[in-house]
């Protein structure tokens, strides 16, 4: 029986796995040597939401109508939809395998709450709107797992505002418990598709990156936590060795991440810039620092506003679209060009030109994106700068994240290791997150829906090979 095992490691990054820490990761080394491997291009934006959903549906954010954690629900100013498993316009991998009569084991994949019926078992990943809601299928599964594995948890709460020492200990507890559940499930002989996602690498990179990477502005040599990331990768390596013992020679193994990580060089306060340049007007009672409060915006004098995050999202206040629109569609097109011209002369906090890539909805998300995408998506210094949505930044720039401690920003490329039958080993350029779903279906001999945009990895011709750096 053909089977697929997907080990998802949120934010695992290629420069650490394939280079910086490769010499201390013997299990990764062994698998990479006999696998297709390389960087995996993420979505725009390269964020947990929507990247994992795109991976398991083989569809772009534009097809899913998902543009991050704060996707607009409609054209009102405040309503946002919470990312969930509901409302996908295309099926997930486990829906397709269930339709084919195959048994699935799905463990904490993001955007699987509420847990929906399938052929198999599923424990939902974050975000979970209600911990007392349908967090698993069958419904009693979550409690039975918690009874067997008391340390099991989905994510780390408030990790940006807590003691790094406490966060590190909790990341290790969470990771060990999740892999214990994964090993327990892999021992079963009933599954055709197993998929897990571990959130630990993402939380770890954000909190400990500046302790380990010399190119970070806040790097302190010989810090006591300088090995926190390396030692965690070693923990993942040890678990990888345990899990792969339960696989068969004809199983397909995919080790993937949704995006990578890199040094965060700073942040650009996009809403503060819009206020200072006359595009965004605040009522007198709006605080001059802190989060943008949409109910205290003077919409009669506002042309646009923004959401912050790993990318910037600008929304125009358009007549007959927004409730209190002030500009026309033609005005919006003119202002898009005007903004690009103004930003082309901006200097970042180090006095060098800030590189802002400005994408229209079509450029970012393809033709006819669903739902309510941003009117402009901004990528700042190749994602090494964040977009800050808060106010109170007099010179528009900050060295810190405005949501708490953070040393890393996301990067466009995650990782992909693909091992199994019909996979020609070697380094592969051009792997895309949308290739994963068709690769799974191809191995399981299930027809690939036309909605899937990627290509099975076995059909991608290797452009060049490269030995893993094992110094």
């Amino acid at each position: 029986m053909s089977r697929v095992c997907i080990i998802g490691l949120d934010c695992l990054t290629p420069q650490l796995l394939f280079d910086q820490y490769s010499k201390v990761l013997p299990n990764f080394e062994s698998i990479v040597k006999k696998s297709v491997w390389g960087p995996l291009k993420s979505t725009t934006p390269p964020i947990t939401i929507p990247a994992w959903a795109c991976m398991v549906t083989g569809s772009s954010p534009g097809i899913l109508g998902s543009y991050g954690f704060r996707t607009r629900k409609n054209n009102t100013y405040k309503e946002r939809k919470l990312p969930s498993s509901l409302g996908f316009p295309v099926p997930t991998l486990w829906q397709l395998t269930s339709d084919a009569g195959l048994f699935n084991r799905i463990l904490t994949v993001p955007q699987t709450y509420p847990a929906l019926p399938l052929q198999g078992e599923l424990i939902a990943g974050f975000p979970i709107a209600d911990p007392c809601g349908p967090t698993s299928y069958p419904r009693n599964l979550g409690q039975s797992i918690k009874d067997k594995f008391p340390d099991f948890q989905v994510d780390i709460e408030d990790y940006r505002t807590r003691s790094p020492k406490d966060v590190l200990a909790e990341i290790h507890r969470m990771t060990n418990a999740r892999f214990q559940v994964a090993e327990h499930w892999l021992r079963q002989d009933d599954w055709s598709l197993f998929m897990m996602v571990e959130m630990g690498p993402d939380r770890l990179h954000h909190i400990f990156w500046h302790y380990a990477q010399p190119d970070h502005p806040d790097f302190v040599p010989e810090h006591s936590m300088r090995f926190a990331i390396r030692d965690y990768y070693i923990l993942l390596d040890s678990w990888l060795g345990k899990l792969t013992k339960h696989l068969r020679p004809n199983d397909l193994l995919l080790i993937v991440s949704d995006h990578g990580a890199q040094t965060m060089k700073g942040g650009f306060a996009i809403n503060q810039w819009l206020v200072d340049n006359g595009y965004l007007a605040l009522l007198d009672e709006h605080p001059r620092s802190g989060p943008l409060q949409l109910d205290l915006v003077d919409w009669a004098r506002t042309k646009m506003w923004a959401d912050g995050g790993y990318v910037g999202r600008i929304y125009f206040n358009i007549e007959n679209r927004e409730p209190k629109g002030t500009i026309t569609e033609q005005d919006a097109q003119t202002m898009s060009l005007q903004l690009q011209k103004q930003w082309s002369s901006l200097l970042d906090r180090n006095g060098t030109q800030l590189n802002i890539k400005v994408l229209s909805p079509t450029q970012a998300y393809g033709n006819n994106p669903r739902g309510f995408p941003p009117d402009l998506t901004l990528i700042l210094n190749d994602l090494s700068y964040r977009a800050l949505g808060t106010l109170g930044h007099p010179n528009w720039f900050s060295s810190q994240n405005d949501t708490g401690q953070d040393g890393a920003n996301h990067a466009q490329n995650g990782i992909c290791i693909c091992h199994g039958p019909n996979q020609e080993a070697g380094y592969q350029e051009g792997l895309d997150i949308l290739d994963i779903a068709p690769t799974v279906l191809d191995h399981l001999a299930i027809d690939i829906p036309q909605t899937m945009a990627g290509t099975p990895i076995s059909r991608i011709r290797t452009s060049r090979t490269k030995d893993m750096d094992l110094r």
Side-chain angles (χ1 to χ4, degrees), residues 103 117 145 159 162 164 179 247 279 355 378 384 422 463 470:
F103 195 90
I145 289 294
Y159 63 93
R162 293 166 49 199
F179 275 97
L247 300 182
Y279 294 106
N355 176 21
L378 314 181
S384 67
N422 303 317
S463 57
L470 296 170

Side-chain angles (χ1 to χ4, degrees), residues 4 14 35 71 114 124 140 230 323 335 389 411:
V4 176
S35 302
T71 296
N140 62 354
R230 183 204 65 180
M335 287 181 185

Side-chain angles (χ1 to χ4, degrees), residues 10-139:
D10 196 284
C11 194
L12 209 72
T13 197
Q15 70 269 32
L16 301 188
L17 180 68
F18 297 140
D19 185 8
Q20 188 171 342
Y21 299 144
S22 61
K23 62 182 179 293
V24 295
L25 305 175
N27 293 305
F28 277 107
E29 172 198 356
S30 175
I31 292 173
V32 165
K33 282 183 175 179
K34 51 191 177 184
S35 302
V36 179
W37 65 279
L40 187 70
K41 183 182 178 184
S42 186
T43 52
T44 299
I47 312 175
T48 297
I49 306 293
W52 287 110
C54 293
M55 183 187 293
V56 301
T57 61
S59 298
S60 70
I63 295 295
L64 300 182
S66 180
Y67 308 104
F69 287 97
R70 294 188 293 273
T71 296
R72 295 179 81 182
K73 187 175 182 180
N74 50 41
N75 279 327
T76 60
Y77 298 113
K78 294 184 67 175
E79 289 194 62
R80 299 289 193 272
K81 62 181 180 181
L82 180 70
S84 80
S85 61
L86 302 176
F88 282 8
V90 293
T92 61
L93 278 174
W94 47 89
Q95 289 172 320
L96 293 168
T97 51
S98 293
D99 290 344
L102 304 180
F103 195 90
N104 303 272
R105 292 191 172 276
I106 309 301
L107 180 61
T108 56
V109 176
Q111 209 170 338
T112 49
Y113 177 90
L116 301 177
L118 77 164
Q119 182 76 16
E121 297 186 340
L122 182 150
I123 297 178
F126 102 113
I128 292 177
D130 180 3
C132 297
T135 59
S136 67
Y137 181 85
R139 186 68 183 267

